[in-house]
Amino acid sequence: MATRRALLIGINRYQYVNDLKGCENDVRDLQEVLQTQYAFTDCRMLLSEQATGTAMRAAFTQLVEDAAADDVVLIYYAGHGSQMTDIDGDEQNGFDNTLMPYDSKHDPAEPELNTDLLDDELAEVMEALTQKTPNVTVIVDACYSGTILRDASELIAEGTGVRVTGVRGAPRYAGPLPTRVKSRVRFTPSAREHATYALIASCRDDEKAKEIAWPQPDGSLQHHGGFSYYFIARLRALTSTPTLRDLFEGAAADLFDLLGQRQRPQLEGRVDRRLFGLESDTPMRHLRVRTTPNEANQLTLAGGSVLGIAAGARVAIYPPGTLRVEGNTPLARGTVTEVRAVECTVQLDANTDAAAVPRTARVVLEDSGPSRLTRPVVLAPLTTAGVTDAMAPALDERRRALHALLASDANMRLLEVAAPDALVVNLRLASPTSNEWQWEITSENGQPVSPLLPLNATDAVHHNCAVLTRQWLVGQLANPVVNSPLRSGKVSVDLLTAPKAGEMFTEVVPGPEGLPVVRHGDMPFGLRVRNGHTQGVYVSLLELSFEGAIRQTFPPNGARSDTPVKPGEDFKIFTKRGQRRGYSLPDYFPGTDAVATLRLFVSEQPVDVGFLCADETLVTGALAPNATRSTPSDFVGIVPASIAQPPANATATPDSDWTVIDIRFLVRRDQTIAAGA
């Protein structure tokens, strides 16, 4: 029988740095809730002096050894966070984030006394744990600040007595590295592309995790981590089993009401899993509310021109935790009136109860307005060659059925003749001597872009056209500002490859075709991003896979980009251990090579490109009767800013620069790549 296990670490007292006040309270409160309400039978605590570097590492090792298949594992840390010089080249800011044990000392003269746990070490623990059970959740209430303000005391709300009493961060350590770090033997991670654990961090890398003091009836103060206080309170009050995303969004909204933008918790990994369970419920594609309605009934959404949102778009606002549009009634509707780079303003419809729209509401695009882009699709005429009188009626019936499906798709427009970027759908014989008819989908120049599908699979043909159209729409996003510094090449990207895992990465020069060439299979590759802009930029990477999916490959595990690449600096993607993987062509792709596409989103403000992602892929046969697939409304919001025309009563305000860089390269089946290619 599966066991529910928790390792809870809370450090108030430190041997060499300033103490904290609320960490032990957080741990004890969390332990009580886990044991009394969630059937955790194995809760281990390390408090203050117990949480030495040796004891913490031993506890992690023991947790890995004890974990069994389908166990529920929760790791919680409350204490100081810090940073240490990165030795792997895998950190955007050049420093590894660390958790600081009770006995860690940050003195360059005594490097061996630095017992901090590196984020790389924790990643290895997560890898080992998730090889045993996929149900692992990590919560870290600490910050990675370069300074510490233990003496600060800040009144939150006049008349309440609630105060910020400190931050959970120790000064960055930039001295000589301890021997254990320089000589650490690393294990070989599995080849999984996506994390099977969920991670909650109480703040961004560049923020401070606040400790808060709440006045009590007897006049005393009760200290807690700001995020932990609200997270545990919501955990205690639950009467149902939400997803981790639902629980997180509520606690983050509570913290925002207290602190505003000063502390923004982060969430990544398997966040749509039911709390302390294995079942997942992925919600519909939605945008987050950034600011709730004002007196003019206007609210702000976390999505702008970078995500293809245009003025004039119609939105529907659903209650927190809504998973599907079908069967649910929206709280309100409205129209996008102003679009900025990473956010937009929505005017709610008349007679809307603005108070009914909470910060945790989920917003769905219903209609993108007059500027929607559609992909041309040609359903080629049925030729008479090979068509017998007996087959003609059946072929014509299937063709008419497919025509109706394609015509009903809001993201496609049917044409009689091929046009640039068009999909062309043909009926063809499997072979000159065969009586079997198949559907073929090609580009306008005849290049196959989908598996061949049987005659009766009209739903599957529409599905594959929709998947390919979705990728194409995302591929059209571009900053329309002609004099944009970022668009003019201030940020550049180089493609890197290595002969095999563990060997040096080098830049790939273009081959005879004018594109870099990557060997089909397990040839590791990476990217080097160079920031020549005058300010820091945030980067996110999408992969438009051969199979039709749109995946966020950086930041990993669905996290939002929250750490900028500084001016004049380089940053490498895919060089972290466990992310070095090859690029392979699907078996149904003819020929020896095909062009792969990655899209690098570069912006002066953080942006959540997860809104653009989709896991659906091309199918190779008829869809199951109850198969879940995208509906036309899923991507009506993709409106390239380059063609969007706002209505007369709306404005478009350029507030922040951004661009998209396409990285294209050939993936070649031939195991021998020509010299210089």
Side-chain angles (χ1 to χ4, degrees), residues 330-346:
L331 300 171
R333 285 187 165 89
T335 301
V336 176
T337 56
E338 183 179 350
V339 179
R340 297 169 290 281
V342 299
E343 63 181 21
C344 64
T345 300
V346 171

Side-chain angles (χ1 to χ4, degrees), residues 555-599:
N557 307 326
R560 299 183 188 120
S561 178
D562 64 2
T563 304
V565 181
K566 296 179 181 178
E569 289 191 352
D570 291 356
F571 174 60
K572 294 177 183 177
I573 301 176
F574 292 157
T575 57
K576 194 176 181 70
R577 293 178 183 272
Q579 295 175 352
R580 295 181 179 180
R581 60 175 179 81
Y583 228 89
S584 299
L585 294 172
D587 293 338
Y588 56 77
F589 261 75
T592 60
D593 52 43
V595 177
T597 301
L598 303 171
R599 301 211 89 201

